[in-house]
Amino acid sequence: MDPLDKVAPPVAEALVAAEDHRFYAHGGVDWLATLAALRNRLEGKPSRGASTLSMQVAGFLAPELARPGARGWLDKIRQIRAGLAIDGAWSKPQILEAYLNLAGYRGEAQGIGAAALGLFGKTPDALSRDDALLLIALLPDPQASPATVARRACAMARGANCATFESAAYSMLGPARSLQLDPGLAPHLAQRLLTKPGLRITTTLDIDIQRTAIAALKRQLEGLGGSRARDGAVVVLDNATGDVLAYVGGIGGNSTAPAVDGASAYRQAGSTLKPFLYAQAIEKGYLTAASILDDSPVQLDTASGLYVPQNYDKGFKGPVSVRSALAGSLNVPAVRTLLLVGVDAFRDRLFDTGYQGLVEDGDYYGYSLALGSAEVTLLEQADAYRSLANGGRWAPWRLTATDLRKEPKAITTPQAAWIVANMMADPNARAVTFGLDSSLRLPFWAAVKTGTSKAMRDNWCVGFSDRYTVAVWVGNVEGDAMRAVSGTSGAAPVWRDVMLALHADQPSRAPAMPAGIEERTIAYTGNIEQPRREYFLKGTGMALIASAPPESRRPRITNPVSGSVYAIDPDIPIDRQRLAVAVTGDAMTHRLLLDKQDLGDASTAPLILPGPGRHRLALLDLSGKVVDQVVFTMR
């Protein structure tokens, strides 16, 4: 509430002049205006409203008095009685103060404090006369166009320069204005929680953390510029209690849809679901953090055709450990892991971890679920990652002081949660993909994962320290793709800034290793990866890890990659543009067939140059059975 003596006098003066010019002379009901309105109605003439400020305040406090369509005689009698009661119990300054603090001005801005800050970037006591006229001009229709607001303000100003009001109205209501819409700095959360006028709710927000999150997001979006990414959101949770300490649904700025709540909107998750997939595979004993996964082309038959996952950089790393695959956010190893876990089992695990938007069965999502094809909210992301910080125990977040604290449910085993957190906190494992000095590296312990959705529409960064979980989304709420924004240049800098501020006085410490984990020094044959200390579920530890030799693998075509499109370059000699066919595994007894042409022994790695069009390359065993095939196009 902003006291009347903290509001610039021109505001109250303009309000009385525009809405109730006999305010100080009547006792809650303007009988002259009421009789004039009655006479005009009987004569069939248009009538001006006779509702006084006292009656309108009564309507704010009792919404049923001012509901749409409440224009009958009984309704008017109730409004008159309420106006008389308000005026009899309150002083005129109190009525003005209540009106200014309860009225809605624009969008989510309710009250003079929110309107002054959101529309002018000022406190109520700093508003000028022109500001006051523009604010009061909004009251009849808070969503009016700038031209309409300027016309009303000019009429109230009586003879002032209307051009001044036109430019001021466009500046006040234009898309570039910053939407800091209320003194609590959480307009989107207010819109979510304040479902009726006059409602008072105590949230779990920490105002200092909220301001820190807003400042970090605003700084990053201003740096990116509206042409690269216009929107963002930040959520901060207390790991121990689940309290939402910061809830930033957006900051306006260059946004073309500033009222959309980015913290609660459903968007594709991208790679942020991978930690839960690997945790499930580890706890089931299918994989360890040291296990080798093959990052090479793979094609999977689905009901809608071949599914051919690719990595973010379109390249393949060959044999990699689970630790490197997760930290480097590799897609093909994740899909191979999903084949072990099962789509339905993984979907169920995600749902149990708070991703309540996953209401379809596993077949609906398919293998792309490993790469985050499902839609999630930022709040769900934060609370799911919080479960990993709490040893695999999940409980719902708390937004208000009245929300009950529910007993956590064990979803992921403490051992699997700890091992996955250890992998996400490993800067050396991330180095190949993100470098040694990316925004993800902090001067204290923190586990973090980035994600980018299909077509570069969403960029996520979610991670936790020993006390907090911070989740950040950057993108465009209208769904168009970002430009020149990567996994570490979009949301990650915001995550880093917030984490550094949260732990400015007390650095985060790594969680204690739970019982049931053993530590081993490991080495890889063929120097696939460097020797290191690794962690295993008790009884699964090993010292030497070897990748399966090529001859032990199922023969398959690795080049060309299915779905590829190749174009002939007219500036290069045609005999220099042949494609090399590559086959892995023991293919000594297999043959290659291009369309209907026999290419001979698969082990000879033939060079091919098919003509324009779509082609099918098949690998056949001795019996003539197709054991692998790829489809590609030449242009």
Side-chain angles (χ1 to χ4, degrees), residues 219-238:
R219 183 164 53 245
Q220 175 66 355
L221 290 180
E222 287 176 348
L224 291 174
S227 63
R228 297 172 66 192
R230 301 185 299 272
D231 298 288
V234 184
V235 168
V236 179
L237 298 185
D238 183 292

Side-chain angles (χ1 to χ4, degrees), residues 239 274-276 278-280 282 289 322-323 326-327 384-392 412-427 429-430 440 444-449 462-466 469 495 509-514 517 534-535:
N239 290 342
K274 290 174 182 174
F276 305 98
Y278 285 113
Q280 193 170 6
I282 288 171
V322 167
R323 177 176 290 271
L326 174 58
Y385 274 71
R386 172 179 163 251
S387 75
L388 295 177
N390 289 334
T412 303
T413 64
Q415 295 78 17
W418 187 91
I419 290 173
V420 165
N422 180 270
M423 290 192 287
M424 288 194 294
D426 186 349
R430 287 194 300 263
L440 304 177
F444 46 78
W445 187 92
V448 61
K449 185 75 187 71
V462 192
F464 52 89
S465 63
D466 59 351
T469 297
W495 178 84
R509 294 177 294 179
M513 184 192 303
I517 293 178
E534 192 54 275
Y535 304 93

Side-chain angles (χ1 to χ4, degrees), residues 205-272:
L205 298 187
D206 182 303
I207 191 169
D208 292 329
I209 297 177
Q210 178 78 1
R211 285 173 172 154
T212 295
I214 289 173
L217 181 60
K218 186 174 184 179
R219 183 164 53 245
Q220 175 66 355
L221 290 180
E222 287 176 348
L224 291 174
S227 63
R228 297 172 66 192
R230 301 185 299 272
D231 298 288
V234 184
V235 168
V236 179
L237 298 185
D238 183 292
N239 290 342
T241 65
D243 288 355
V244 179
L245 303 178
Y247 186 108
V248 183
I251 60 161
N254 291 309
S255 177
T256 53
V260 175
D261 184 354
S264 293
Y266 277 93
R267 316 284 299 189
Q268 277 198 341
S271 294
T272 54

Side-chain angles (χ1 to χ4, degrees), residues 189-485:
L189 183 59
Q191 181 74 7
R192 173 178 176 149
L193 298 179
L194 299 177
T195 56
K196 57 184 179 180
L199 195 62
R200 295 182 66 85
I201 292 177
T202 301
T203 72
T204 58
L205 298 187
D206 182 303
I207 191 169
D208 292 329
I209 297 177
Q210 178 78 1
R211 285 173 172 154
T212 295
I214 289 173
L217 181 60
K218 186 174 184 179
R219 183 164 53 245
Q220 175 66 355
L221 290 180
E222 287 176 348
L224 291 174
S227 63
R228 297 172 66 192
R230 301 185 299 272
D231 298 288
V234 184
V235 168
V236 179
L237 298 185
D238 183 292
N239 290 342
T241 65
D243 288 355
V244 179
L245 303 178
Y247 186 108
V248 183
I251 60 161
N254 291 309
S255 177
T256 53
V260 175
D261 184 354
S264 293
Y266 277 93
R267 316 284 299 189
Q268 277 198 341
S271 294
T272 54
L273 302 183
K274 290 174 182 174
F276 305 98
L277 174 61
Y278 285 113
Q280 193 170 6
I282 288 171
E283 75 173 44
K284 295 292 185 184
Y286 302 149
L287 295 173
T288 71
S291 297
I292 291 295
L293 291 170
D294 190 10
D295 182 28
S296 62
V298 63
Q299 55 187 28
L300 303 168
D301 288 316
T302 69
S304 57
L306 286 177
Y307 176 59
V308 185
Q310 292 185 321
N311 289 320
Y312 180 82
D313 61 2
K314 308 298 183 184
F316 299 96
K317 306 294 189 295
V320 295
S321 70
V322 167
R323 177 176 290 271
S324 297
L326 174 58
S329 201
L330 302 179
N331 287 340
V332 175
V335 173
R336 294 188 188 278
T337 302
L338 184 59
L339 292 172
L340 296 174
V341 171
V343 179
D344 283 309
F346 183 44
R347 177 264 172 206
D348 292 345
R349 171 60 58 89
L350 292 173
F351 188 87
D352 291 341
T353 315
Y355 291 109
Q356 301 296 301
L358 277 72
V359 296
E360 307 292 343
D361 59 22
D363 289 340
Y364 175 84
Y365 302 103
Y367 300 119
S368 63
L369 185 58
L371 312 186
S373 61
E375 293 188 340
V376 302
T377 71
L378 193 66
L379 261 179
E380 289 176 346
Q381 293 269 52
D383 208 33
Y385 274 71
R386 172 179 163 251
S387 75
L388 295 177
N390 289 334
R393 293 173 297 121
W394 179 86
W397 63 78
R398 295 177 71 246
L399 271 172
T400 71
T402 57
D403 288 343
L404 296 177
R405 286 193 174 96
K406 296 185 179 180
E407 194 66 26
K409 295 186 295 183
I411 306 298
T412 303
T413 64
Q415 295 78 17
W418 187 91
I419 290 173
V420 165
N422 180 270
M423 290 192 287
M424 288 194 294
D426 186 349
N428 294 322
R430 287 194 300 263
V432 173
T433 301
F434 299 105
L436 287 171
D437 194 28
S438 72
S439 297
L440 304 177
R441 185 158 191 166
L442 300 180
F444 46 78
W445 187 92
V448 61
K449 185 75 187 71
T450 62
T452 303
S453 69
K454 187 177 180 181
M456 296 295 294
R457 290 188 176 91
D458 310 280
N459 185 225
W460 308 83
C461 187
V462 192
F464 52 89
S465 63
D466 59 351
R467 294 179 57 197
Y468 306 101
T469 297
V470 178
V472 181
W473 167 80
V474 166
N476 298 313
V477 297
E478 292 186 279
D480 49 309
M482 298 175 289
R483 293 178 59 250
V485 177

Side-chain angles (χ1 to χ4, degrees), residues 535-576:
Y535 304 93
F536 301 85
L537 299 184
K538 201 154 193 169
T540 65
M542 57 188 75
L544 183 66
I545 295 93
S547 179
E551 56 271 16
S552 69
R553 303 177 191 173
R554 176 179 68 83
R556 57 190 180 86
I557 302 167
T558 57
N559 193 67
V561 176
S562 189
S564 298
V565 178
Y566 299 92
I568 295 175
D569 190 333
D571 295 329
I572 300 176
I574 194 69
D575 60 344
R576 302 290 182 88

